Amino acid sequence: MSTTHDSPINLAQIERNFREIAPPLTEAEAIMESHRCVYCYDAPCTRACPTHIDVPAFIKKIASGNLTGSARVIFEANPIGASCARVCPVDVLCEGACVEKTLMAKPIEIGRLQRYATDAVFTRGRDVLKAGAPNGKSIGIVGSGPAGLSCATYLARLGYAVRIYERKPLAGGMDTYGMAEYKMTQRVSQEEVAQVARLGVEIKTNTEIGRDIQLDELESQHDAVFLGVGLGATSRLNIPGEQLEGVYDALDFIERIKTRDWASIPIGRTVAVIGAGNTAIDAVTQARRLGAKRVLMIYRRTDREMPAYEYEYELAKRDAVEFWWQTAPVEIVAGADGTRAAALRCVRTEAVETDDAGRRSFRTIAGSEFEIPVDMVIKALGQQKMVDWLLQIAKLKLDAAGRVAVNPETMQTANPKFFAGGDCVNGGREAVDAAQAGKLAAQGIHLHLSGERVEFAGARVPLHEETSEIKH
Amino acid sequence: MADLKVNFAGIESPNPFWLASAPPTNMGSMVERAFDAGWGGAVWKTLGEPIRNVCSRLASIDQGPQRMLGLNNIELITDRSLEVNLKEIRECKRKYPKHALIISLMVESKREAWHEIAKQVEDTGADGVELNFGCPHGMSERGMGAAMGQVPEYTCMVTEWVKEATRLPVIVKLTPNVTNITPPGRAAVRGGADAVSLINTINSVMGVDLDTLVPYPNVNGMAAHGGYCGPAVKPIALNMVSELARDAEVNVPISGIGGIGTWRDAAEFLLLGATTVQVCTAVMHYGYRIVEDMIDGLSNYLDDKGFHSVNDIIGLSVPRVTDWGNLDLNYKTVARIDHQKCIQCNLCHIACEDGAHQCIPFTEIDGKRFPIVDEHECVGCNLCYLVCPVPGCISMVRLDDGSRPLTWRELTTREPETMTAD
Ligand SMILES: Cc1cc2nc3c(=O)[nH]c(=O)nc-3n(C[C@H](O)[C@H](O)[C@H](O)COP(=O)(O)OP(=O)(O)OC[C@H]3O[C@@H](n4cnc5c(N)ncnc54)[C@H](O)[C@@H]3O)c2cc1C
Ligand SMILES: Cc1cc2nc3c(=O)[nH]c(=O)nc-3n(C[C@H](O)[C@H](O)[C@H](O)COP(=O)(O)O)c2cc1C
Ligand code: SF4
Ligand code: SF4
Ligand code: SF4
């Protein structure tokens, strides 16, 4: 790939474009905001959080000046609570459920308060989690993403010797290599990784299971194994021209942005991003920030069907992205040199038959082909499942969509020694879901190996009281 | 983690956080839930001849969106039978042997009546009794509660009666509805009290409904003064607690009550001489769960400051309270504004202009108009510092070097003619 500065804008401008989209709260803001929270009982925000963090408790601890206690409440329910504070889709989770949204159309800024508390302990170098007394058992974890880090944290708190295997040079999974740079930098994910390491968890990076260490060796070294391998590479377009220069995989493109080495990141003048999920949005918004003049989002359906969240779509609109709905790519066309992408050939699509659930399907319209001149194409069609790798594990069962089948309470797979969670089980959701899965798996592993049931903070929706019948 | 255990007049408690005698301690199931939530002790809702309450009973003042800054009630003592209460107390103590269970009492002013109830309570296994000499409404019209607490002789007499009848530690709960808290405090000690607790609620009228013209809370078109409590009363309670903590004759432990809702409030009471604290309004507002942050916050604070036990901070600030005449007249501070932080709301200017000493004029910095303190004129009163909405924007800076302290007392003994010295 090119190592020269391709962008029409200067580096200082790029640096400014990648400023944090949600800056930290000042002390004055944190005081005001934490007092605005009404301290709900059986709080809707806590129910809506996939890790069921006791939100009112941590917010009131900010109000009382107990920041250490506040961060402890957060990390006890979610070991990657600092990342989640920045990358969670709060509009559809905690903040979407906040009573202040109902009352004032202005929910409490739960994400930013969560960041305020977790930043405070990281800055002061204060440890809020403790490892348990060693119990002599050893667990291997494949993958250091949100699922693996979370599982490792709880297991270390229970006294297990935990070793994480990670094929990449840095731990953290997609928190390190995938998050939009304006939401979160690698520093935050590395602080969380360090917090896990301080619990005594051994993290072996640059170590791929199946290549550097074989699966049977892994299995023989540990009493149980947790699979937090996430998803694989971006799906192929399967159209001619995919191999041309100037065609990128969204994940590779984003991974290069994470280095913040702006000059080394390739960027075109006109960039077409294919797909309309959250990753596609991250690709278009970041391509814009790198200096692309025109950014096009190519999608075969319409905005009604697009999988991206509403507020992510809004973000793309604010960045003046052009949306090409009902447009399907059929070929990436090379320029005169025969090696570089110069245009995207597309066809128009039309909606056909609506099924009972209101879902429409789209078919191409014959003879509607046209070309858009572009000098960069980013494929953002979603990630493949790691089916082949997973099927090397004896007795492991996958569902029809290639997801690892587990008991939803214990996260145990069909092979009793193996547990799994995160994107490889749910097919690709949010970091916070992976954190919760890691917690449940730690509980499941402990039950399997010791027969003892433990319940960590937020393992279930807290059910305070049963509803009761009232006589009138 | 710092040790939170305290021994209060012989009563062991896992932490200094107790529930005050009030609705949150109305019955066994409630006290048990409170202990499960983390409360170290509870003072049972006052026992006596069961009474009949009115409806409604509570009113409050709000400050903007903040509800119940001050709460007022016209509720009386328990409306449940003595028999049921005693049975539940016995069960509760059996289930929670390590928690502090104190029973609040109020009966008519007869020696036999106090003897009788004190013995019945001792028989339940409870850890102590608290004599409610504080209720300012209803009960006082019947010669009980504050009617007793306001007359030191009665306070002393009834305390003696109870001490005759029981070996349990006796705590006397004082009313703040007096001009000076020291005489009733001393009277309790003379009567043999093992400890005092304060404050009970303050006489108050909460406001008037401008449509019906009936003050709050409305009982069928009429209202009566009630007892005031909640965050708004904390400074009054802190003063009274520190007054007794400073008094050599009141040499018994103090349980601090009044406006406590967070670990910070509690720490302040402990520093000013309380060994335990009691909470009512904050629990009525948010539930028993608030004790979790009180425990967590206080132990983090103690750890941060290097204290190993909560006992290490009890009374630490008492020597820092003195009479006005002992304050240093030469201590000199002035306000200083950090223009990096200033948002130019000009509240400091107008506060100083119309409410203090006209020493915050404006100055121009980088084309913007900023308030600036004239340090020669500033008397260091703190007003601007108090009104400024930006944390850390105005600071009070010391100007004297501390080498020549001078008190009003010294000044007037040296030069009696300068009673109103410059
Ligand atoms: C571009 C992008 C943006 C996203 N943005 C957000 C967002 O803003 N907010 C949000 O909440 N979620 C976001 N997500 C989703 C989120 O990143 C995932 O849901 C989450 O990271 C899943 O965690 P995981 O631990 O299951 O997997 P991953 O984070 O993918 O971690 C899996 C780890 O396993 C390692 N691994 C795999 N195989 C092996 C092997 N054989 N040996 C050793 N190591 C191996 C991988 O290298 C990787 O580090 C985004 C995802 C993408 C792709
Ligand atoms: C509704 C209500 C009922 C109360 N009942 C009693 C009581 O029966 N006996 C008593 O000693 N104090 C009673 N109190 C006073 C409290 O115990 C406590 O002294 C006072 O509320 C101050 O504490 P706070 O600011 O935490 O509320 C009552 C207070 C309220 C609000
Ligand atoms: S729903 Fe909103 S107001 Fe209620 S506890 Fe949660 S953050 Fe606070
Ligand atoms: S708080 Fe409970 S008892 Fe009081 S008025 Fe409301 S519903 Fe009735
Ligand atoms: S009150 Fe504070 S913020 Fe407002 S003008 Fe004065 S110094 Fe500035």
Side-chain angles (χ1 to χ4, degrees):
Chain A
M1 266 187 240
S2 135
T3 50
T4 54
H5 177 48
D6 298 338
S7 176
I9 60 178
N10 66 37
L11 295 179
Q13 182 61 45
I14 297 179
E15 191 69 43
R16 269 199 299 282
N17 289 349
F18 278 91
R19 260 194 316 236
E20 281 182 298
I21 204 158
L25 292 171
T26 63
E27 186 190 355
E29 287 171 319
I31 292 171
M32 200 71 106
E33 197 63 6
S34 61
H35 278 95
R36 201 163 68 84
C37 161
V38 298
Y39 195 32
C40 300
Y41 179 70
D42 203 354
C45 49
T46 292
R47 295 176 152 267
C49 167
T51 54
H52 308 305
I53 296 177
D54 190 341
V55 174
F58 94 69
I59 292 182
K60 285 302 145 186
K61 281 173 193 287
I62 295 176
S64 86
N66 179 9
L67 293 181
T68 308
S70 180
R72 180 182 52 73
V73 167
I74 294 162
F75 284 128
E76 277 180 359
N78 182 343
I80 55 153
S83 304
C84 285
R86 294 157 168 91
V87 304
C88 267
V90 288
D91 288 27
V92 297
L93 298 175
C94 55
E95 292 183 16
C98 174
V99 300
E100 288 293 326
K101 185 169 178 182
T102 321
L103 189 66
M104 318 253 289
K106 198 173 175 300
I108 303 298
E109 293 200 61
I110 301 171
R112 291 174 79 204
L113 284 169
Q114 183 168 321
R115 170 174 179 180
Y116 187 78
T118 50
D119 276 357
V121 288
F122 283 151
T123 325
R124 297 178 198 177
R126 184 66 54 87
D127 278 324
V128 293
L129 301 176
K130 275 198 193 67
N135 64 16
K137 296 212 171 73
S138 146
I139 314 293
I141 293 183
V142 190
S144 65
L149 289 179
S150 166
C151 189
T153 301
Y154 292 104
L155 289 170
R157 286 173 58 190
L158 288 169
Y160 290 89
V162 183
R163 191 184 299 154
I164 301 183
Y165 303 90
E166 171 55 58
R167 64 180 173 198
K168 292 270 195 187
L170 289 177
M174 281 298 166
D175 269 0
T176 298
Y177 290 107
M179 296 303 159
E181 187 63 14
Y182 50 79
K183 289 186 191 163
M184 178 178 133
T185 63
Q186 288 188 335
R187 186 184 52 80
V188 180
S189 97
Q190 292 314 299
E191 267 171 330
E192 269 167 353
V193 168
Q195 174 164 274
V196 178
R198 284 197 302 277
L199 290 171
V201 172
E202 192 188 338
I203 304 175
K204 288 180 84 72
T205 49
N206 294 312
T207 309
E208 181 169 341
I209 299 296
R211 201 191 65 195
D212 304 307
I213 295 178
Q214 296 309 312
L215 269 162
D216 46 0
E217 191 185 338
L218 172 80
E219 196 177 342
S220 68
Q221 279 182 9
H222 301 287
D223 296 293
V225 174
F226 175 75
L227 304 171
V229 291
L231 297 173
T234 305
S235 304
R236 290 178 55 80
L237 293 169
N238 291 321
I239 58 174
E242 227 174 320
Q243 77 298 338
L244 291 175
E245 258 179 57
V247 181
Y248 297 91
D249 172 330
L251 296 185
D252 293 338
F253 176 63
I254 290 167
E255 193 173 320
R256 302 194 78 182
I257 292 172
K258 296 304 291 182
T259 63
R260 289 188 90 98
D261 182 9
W262 312 122
S264 77
I265 304 166
I267 187 67
R269 295 292 185 275
T270 305
V271 180
V273 174
I274 298 163
N278 294 314
T279 301
I281 300 270
D282 286 352
V284 292
T285 52
Q286 297 187 96
R288 261 315 261 184
R289 282 169 173 71
L290 284 170
K293 284 271 168 265
R294 281 180 74 198
V295 179
L296 325 175
M297 197 157 177
I298 313 288
Y299 187 47
R300 71 179 280 128
R301 292 175 255 262
T302 72
D303 56 352
R304 259 173 64 190
E305 285 82 15
M306 83 186 286
Y309 291 120
E310 185 62 33
Y311 72 91
E312 295 277 11
Y313 180 26
E314 289 301 320
L315 198 63
K317 283 189 204 162
R318 277 209 299 280
D319 283 348
V321 168
E322 295 172 33
F323 301 96
W324 292 65
W325 306 124
Q326 292 181 263
T327 306
V330 291
E331 185 187 351
I332 302 166
V333 186
D337 62 359
T339 57
R340 280 199 70 86
L344 188 66
R345 191 195 303 281
C346 300
V347 282
R348 287 288 179 187
T349 69
E350 62 185 348
V352 284
E353 95 242 9
T354 303
D355 71 6
D356 294 347
R359 263 192 302 270
R360 302 183 293 176
S361 56
F362 289 78
R363 68 162 176 234
T364 54
I365 304 172
S368 67
E369 283 170 29
F370 64 102
E371 267 183 27
I372 316 169
V374 299
D375 53 4
M376 183 169 181
V377 176
I378 300 175
K379 303 181 283 180
L381 287 186
Q383 292 167 265
Q384 294 162 350
K385 314 287 182 318
M386 305 216 286
V387 176
D388 293 342
W389 187 87
L390 290 165
L391 286 179
Q392 297 171 53
I393 300 168
K395 291 187 283 183
L396 202 76
K397 284 210 175 65
L398 305 184
D399 70 6
R403 298 175 295 200
V404 182
V406 296
N407 170 331
E409 266 159 49
T410 60
M411 308 310 276
Q412 194 167 30
T413 69
N415 178 336
K417 196 169 175 181
F418 283 79
F419 293 73
D423 278 1
C424 67
V425 167
N426 64 34
R429 286 166 73 165
E430 310 301 330
V432 67
D433 297 295
Q436 180 70 351
K439 183 198 297 175
L440 296 181
Q443 293 180 174
I445 290 170
H446 187 61
L447 178 65
H448 174 63
L449 293 179
S450 74
E452 187 199 5
R453 235 172 239 289
V454 287
E455 193 172 314
F456 288 109
R460 288 184 294 172
V461 180
L463 185 64
H464 289 279
E465 275 127 46
E466 303 289 341
T467 48
S468 45
E469 292 283 315
I470 301 286
K471 283 194 281 294
H472 278 284
Chain B
M1 193 181 124
D3 184 8
L4 293 188
K5 284 196 290 298
V6 291
N7 180 314
F8 182 83
I11 303 167
E12 298 285 347
S13 180
N15 62 48
F17 304 112
W18 292 2
L19 287 174
S21 172
T25 60
N26 209 28
M27 54 190 179
S29 60
M30 295 177 81
V31 172
E32 290 173 16
R33 278 196 286 124
F35 286 164
D36 289 341
W39 291 91
V43 186
W44 204 276
K45 174 73 185 172
T46 305
L47 304 189
E49 254 332 284
I51 51 72
R52 195 168 149 194
N53 269 312
V54 293
C55 167
S56 56
R57 312 173 193 175
L58 304 172
S60 77
I61 53 163
D62 305 335
Q63 171 80 21
Q66 179 57 52
R67 296 289 207 151
M68 268 170 57
L69 219 52
L71 175 71
N72 148 299
N73 85 90
I74 52 171
E75 176 179 294
L76 304 183
I77 64 172
T78 187
D79 55 8
R80 305 164 77 236
S81 84
L82 185 60
E83 200 190 349
V84 170
N85 273 312
L86 291 171
K87 181 168 155 286
E88 291 179 4
I89 291 166
R90 189 185 307 276
E91 279 168 19
C92 181
K93 187 63 217 180
R94 190 174 50 76
K95 283 197 219 160
Y96 295 86
K98 293 205 161 67
H99 289 69
L101 191 59
I102 317 299
I103 313 305
S104 170
L105 304 175
M106 184 198 291
V107 290
E108 57 182 327
S109 188
K110 288 207 183 109
R111 187 183 211 143
E112 307 74 56
W114 283 98
H115 278 187
E116 176 66 20
I117 198 159
K119 287 191 182 120
Q120 284 173 306
V121 168
E122 182 168 336
D123 194 46
T124 63
D127 300 298
V129 293
E130 183 180 83
L131 314 185
N132 179 348
F133 293 162
C135 182
H137 48 264
M139 302 314 291
S140 51
E141 293 170 24
R142 304 171 198 186
M144 296 186 251
M148 257 170 208
Q150 285 163 338
V151 185
E153 292 71 32
Y154 292 172
T155 303
C156 175
M157 175 179 75
V158 177
T159 309
E160 281 170 355
W161 291 347
V162 177
K163 284 300 288 181
E164 288 161 10
T166 179
R167 292 185 322 268
L168 291 179
V170 174
I171 306 164
V172 172
K173 183 166 178 180
L174 301 171
T175 174
N177 297 305
V178 292
T179 40
N180 181 354
I181 196 67
T182 311
R186 288 179 179 174
V189 174
R190 257 197 324 279
D194 299 284
V196 292
S197 58
L198 69 168
I199 59 175
N200 209 310
T201 53
I202 305 173
N203 285 334
S204 56
V205 169
M206 295 307 279
V208 182
D209 182 325
L210 296 184
D211 295 318
T212 65
L213 313 188
V214 181
Y216 305 109
N218 180 332
V219 181
N220 196 16
M222 298 296 286
H225 81 262
Y228 192 44
C229 53
V233 311
K234 188 181 97 176
I236 297 167
L238 279 176
N239 170 51
M240 292 189 164
V241 165
S242 64
E243 289 281 309
L244 295 191
R246 290 171 59 204
D247 191 89
E249 280 181 49
V250 184
N251 53 357
V252 294
I254 299 170
S255 189
I257 318 169
I260 299 166
T262 67
W263 65 270
R264 290 179 167 274
D265 302 327
E268 290 166 2
F269 274 86
L270 297 173
L271 287 164
L272 284 175
T275 301
T276 60
V277 293
Q278 299 183 27
V279 179
C280 165
T281 304
V283 166
M284 289 179 70
H285 198 160
Y286 296 115
Y288 300 129
R289 61 187 168 141
I290 61 167
V291 76
E292 192 274 330
D293 185 51
M294 297 181 102
I295 294 171
D296 186 41
L298 183 65
S299 48
N300 284 340
Y301 168 77
L302 294 173
D303 291 348
D304 283 354
K305 300 285 177 190
F307 294 109
H308 300 299
S309 158
V310 67
N311 292 294
D312 297 344
I313 67 163
I314 293 170
L316 269 195
S317 299
V318 174
R320 299 283 177 175
V321 186
T322 183
D323 294 337
W324 194 95
N326 299 326
L327 298 177
D328 180 6
L329 293 168
N330 284 344
Y331 177 66
K332 170 78 180 153
T333 62
V334 295
R336 208 165 276 167
I337 297 172
D338 180 347
H339 292 125
Q340 300 294 320
K341 292 190 174 140
C342 176
I343 56 173
Q344 297 162 280
C345 69
N346 304 333
L347 288 175
C348 54
H349 164 82
I350 197 61
C352 187
E353 196 68 10
D354 293 0
H357 297 82
Q358 302 84 44
C359 45
I360 310 190
F362 291 101
T363 184
E364 189 149 315
I365 305 171
D366 296 336
K368 282 191 189 155
R369 213 168 110 91
F370 280 105
I372 188 160
V373 177
D374 178 344
E375 295 187 1
H376 296 291
E377 293 298 318
C378 173
V379 302
C381 74
N382 280 357
L383 182 64
C384 56
Y385 164 81
L386 297 174
V387 299
C388 178
V390 184
C393 176
I394 300 187
S395 42
M396 301 304 298
V397 185
R398 183 167 188 173
L399 290 190
D400 73 296
D401 61 6
S403 60
R404 296 170 39 246
L406 174 68
T407 70
W408 176 75
R409 212 153 265 163
E410 290 162 354
L411 187 70
T412 48
T413 14
R414 218 187 315 145
E415 312 163 34
E417 71 284 2
T418 56
M419 291 286 286
T420 52
D422 54 273

